[in-house]
Amino acid sequence: MEIINLTERPEFAEAVIDWQWQAFGSENSREFFSSVVKSCLNGADLPQTFIALDGEKLAGTVGLWRCDLISRQDLTPWLAALYVDEPYRSRGLGQQLQEFVLEQSRRSGFREVYLYAEFTGYYERFGWNYIGDALDYPDKPVRVYHQSL
């Protein structure tokens, strides 16, 4: 399994957009995910999108975003849009993608990374510390996590 920046294999952009939209979006939010992924391809420092490849097959994706939770714009950067394709689940790829983002964050000079989730029990296994609740737009309660680098 190889994890790389999407900029190295932009032909996977549309598949990544569809995964993010279907996993995290709503009926009319595909354009939002498209704009984030396309920003990554334009060479911005943030956001960044990373992909996991099993040979030539797309296996997963994760982002490093400036902000992933509108109600907590005071925190940055964020591990965002972690998605592992069904055949690759329960094989440690989610952990590998998290570790990759943390290492990229260190290299970029960040001292901490945040994420949010609607559930409990997964991210704690990988060293993420729950720091409190927040609201995802417009009023969905979520859990905010932190990891020092």
Side-chain angles (χ1 to χ4, degrees), residues 46 62-82 97-98 101-102 105-106 110-117 123 127-134 142-149:
L46 291 176
V62 67
L64 178 63
W65 296 1
R66 186 173 321 281
C67 183
D68 190 27
L69 190 60
I70 294 171
S71 66
R72 292 305 310 262
Q73 293 184 47
D74 56 314
L75 307 176
T76 196
W78 292 75
L79 182 147
L82 174 63
L97 287 163
Q98 290 174 60
V101 165
L102 293 173
S105 299
R106 275 186 208 92
F110 294 112
R111 290 192 247 167
E112 51 203 357
V113 178
Y114 299 88
L115 67 80
Y116 80 88
Y123 290 106
W128 292 91
N129 299 302
Y130 167 72
I131 60 170
D133 295 328
V142 294
R143 298 172 56 84
V144 178
Y145 292 86
H146 169 266
Q147 194 163 137
S148 296
L149 303 176

Side-chain angles (χ1 to χ4, degrees), residues 21-143:
W21 172 49
Q22 291 163 7
F24 309 112
S26 59
E27 182 181 326
N28 59 354
S29 64
R30 187 181 191 282
E31 223 20 69
F32 167 79
F33 292 100
S34 178
S35 69
V36 172
V37 170
K38 289 179 179 172
S39 293
C40 300
L41 296 175
N42 291 334
D45 290 339
L46 291 176
Q48 292 184 32
T49 298
F50 306 103
I51 56 173
L53 295 175
D54 181 11
E56 288 296 309
K57 180 151 177 50
L58 188 61
T61 185
V62 67
L64 178 63
W65 296 1
R66 186 173 321 281
C67 183
D68 190 27
L69 190 60
I70 294 171
S71 66
R72 292 305 310 262
Q73 293 184 47
D74 56 314
L75 307 176
T76 196
W78 292 75
L79 182 147
L82 174 63
Y83 181 84
V84 175
D85 197 20
E86 191 89 28
Y88 295 94
R89 293 183 187 164
S90 300
R91 295 169 49 182
L93 183 54
Q95 181 178 5
Q96 289 177 298
L97 287 163
Q98 290 174 60
E99 290 170 356
F100 190 87
V101 165
L102 293 173
E103 182 55 34
Q104 292 300 311
S105 299
R106 275 186 208 92
R107 288 183 185 167
S108 296
F110 294 112
R111 290 192 247 167
E112 51 203 357
V113 178
Y114 299 88
L115 67 80
Y116 80 88
E118 296 177 39
F119 49 85
T120 184
Y122 178 73
Y123 290 106
E124 293 89 342
R125 296 186 309 198
F126 306 110
W128 292 91
N129 299 302
Y130 167 72
I131 60 170
D133 295 328
L135 290 176
D136 189 13
Y137 183 82
D139 60 359
K140 182 172 34 173
V142 294
R143 298 172 56 84

